Amino acid sequence: MNKFRLALIAAVFTLTTSTAALAQAPLKIGYTSVEYVLSQMPESKQIESDLKAYSSQLEAQLKSKYADYQAKAEAYTKAQSTMTEVVRADKEKELTGLQNSIQEFQRSADQSLQQKQQTLLKPALDKLQKTIDAVAEENGYTYVLNSDGASPVLLHGPKDGDISDLVLKKMGVTPGAAAAAPKVTTPAAAPAAAPAATKTKTKSKK
């Protein structure tokens, strides 16, 4: 029983000590908008320019593929009535292959553009993270939350908790009007495919 009481007293003492420690070092939470800070960083314009150029290249390739398909589809439509069954089947197979190739390129281009964005953003995000760590340490913030997103982590907070401008000043950037952060511009989808070629049976000569 004595041992139990001693253990209980020790637990209460530990809890009291921990509470007192928390009281001496109050929790300080700050928040920032990563999109806002990125939009203000000098790197932002270059990232946006590089992404736009990369997207334009992919879009040009996609348009070239579709133009090739469209030209062959129109040629097939005009000449299908004079084609033999074998030739017609071969042309239809070719057109189907081109359609599949266009769809696959579109999917691949979207993924490639996402990867390009991540590659371009990484140095800026690493710099931002280091600066946030430094600002948090200098100003006594225990936690820093990101207020961006469709379902933001932060639902409410006082204005003096926003450290976005502190982070920008730490990087030597003068805070200005918020602008959109670099975003991925996906290649334009290929125009609607030409109507599927209809098979017309030719009467065999007897």
Side-chain angles (χ1 to χ4, degrees):
M1 181 65 73
N2 289 333
K3 289 182 179 181
F4 175 75
R5 287 179 179 176
L6 288 174
L8 182 60
I9 292 172
V12 172
F13 178 75
T14 300
L15 179 61
T16 304
T17 303
S18 299
T19 304
L22 286 173
Q24 292 176 358
L27 198 65
K28 188 176 182 181
I29 300 175
Y31 62 92
T32 184
S33 167
V34 171
E35 287 186 6
Y36 164 73
V37 176
L38 279 175
S39 73
Q40 300 293 308
M41 292 171 65
E43 295 92 329
S44 178
K45 290 183 179 180
Q46 187 59 51
I47 292 172
E48 188 173 3
S49 176
D50 290 347
L51 273 178
K52 186 175 181 180
Y54 191 71
S55 176
S56 296
Q57 291 177 10
L58 295 175
E59 189 171 349
Q61 291 180 51
L62 183 62
K63 287 181 177 180
S64 177
K65 284 179 173 291
Y66 183 75
D68 180 48
Y69 164 79
Q70 195 170 35
K72 290 181 178 180
E74 290 176 356
Y76 169 84
T77 301
K78 291 178 180 179
Q80 65 173 322
S81 61
T82 61
M83 293 178 183
T84 64
E85 288 286 350
V86 175
V87 173
R88 185 182 300 109
D90 183 64
K91 292 296 182 182
E92 289 173 357
K93 183 178 180 180
E94 181 184 9
L95 290 175
T96 300
L98 288 173
Q99 283 183 321
N100 293 336
S101 176
I102 290 173
Q103 293 172 359
E104 179 58 33
F105 182 83
Q106 176 73 62
R107 287 191 294 269
S108 177
D110 290 343
Q111 294 175 359
S112 180
L113 199 55
Q114 292 285 347
Q115 292 173 354
K116 184 68 173 179
Q117 184 194 39
Q118 292 174 7
T119 300
L120 292 173
L121 280 175
K122 190 178 186 308
L125 290 174
D126 288 344
K127 177 182 177 181
L128 176 56
Q129 182 61 60
K130 290 180 180 178
T131 308
I132 289 175
D133 292 340
V135 168
E137 186 174 345
E138 292 172 3
N139 294 273
Y141 287 97
T142 311
Y143 298 103
V144 176
L145 308 178
N146 181 15
S147 58
D148 296 329
S151 300
V153 174
L154 182 71
L155 298 178
H156 177 75
K159 178 60 182 173
D160 59 5
D162 188 349
I163 68 169
S164 298
D165 288 349
L166 290 177
V167 172
L168 286 169
K169 290 176 182 177
K170 183 72 175 176
M171 290 189 287
V173 179
T174 302
K183 294 182 179 180
V184 170
T185 304
T186 56
T198 55
K199 294 185 178 180
T200 53
K201 295 183 179 180
T202 56
K203 296 180 178 179
S204 56
K205 295 181 179 180
K206 293 183 180 179

